[in-house]
Amino acid sequence: MFKKDNLPLGIMLGLLTPIVGFFLYYLLILFKQHIGLSEFITILSTNRQMIPKVISICLLLNGLVFYLYTRKRRDITAKGIFLVTMLYAITILLLKLVHG
């Protein structure tokens, strides 16, 4: 499945990779501080200025997946990943404008 070169696969990877990045961020950074996942989500919901920062950190993994697919010459899949990454970037900018 991951060897295919198509746009839906790129879109799916672009959407799911930041979610995996979110859980990796939680496990690597916050789990050590003994903060539960539900408590972290509560912190995010009360401190809305933190949301764009966390999304930006989660998008770093998208950059890695994009790089890997461009190196393998799977350009159509990479376009899907790039498209979703740009949508996330626009969301981050809008959140920064709304919440400061």
Side-chain angles (χ1 to χ4, degrees):
M1 178 175 146
F2 293 109
K3 293 184 180 183
K4 291 182 180 180
D5 189 22
N6 59 26
L7 193 62
L9 175 63
I11 291 172
M12 182 185 72
L13 285 172
L15 289 172
L16 294 178
T17 304
I19 295 170
V20 171
F22 176 80
F23 287 111
L24 284 175
Y25 175 74
Y26 168 73
L27 288 175
L28 294 175
I29 305 298
L30 299 172
F31 189 70
K32 293 177 184 177
Q33 298 175 0
H34 303 291
I35 297 175
L37 183 60
S38 61
E39 185 179 350
F40 177 58
I41 292 173
T42 304
I43 292 170
L44 282 177
S45 66
T46 57
N47 187 1
R48 295 194 184 262
Q49 292 177 346
M50 198 171 147
I51 294 173
K53 296 172 186 174
V54 172
I55 294 173
S56 298
I57 291 170
C58 295
L59 279 181
L60 291 175
L61 196 57
N62 241 12
L64 176 67
V65 174
F66 176 76
Y67 172 75
L68 292 175
Y69 272 88
T70 55
R71 291 281 294 176
K72 291 181 180 180
R73 299 285 185 199
R74 309 264 191 251
D75 295 330
I76 298 172
T77 304
K79 284 180 187 179
I81 296 168
F82 184 74
L83 172 72
V84 174
T85 303
M86 289 301 108
L87 291 175
Y88 273 116
I90 291 169
T91 303
I92 291 169
L93 289 173
L94 291 174
L95 285 171
K96 283 191 170 275
L97 287 173
V98 171
H99 298 294

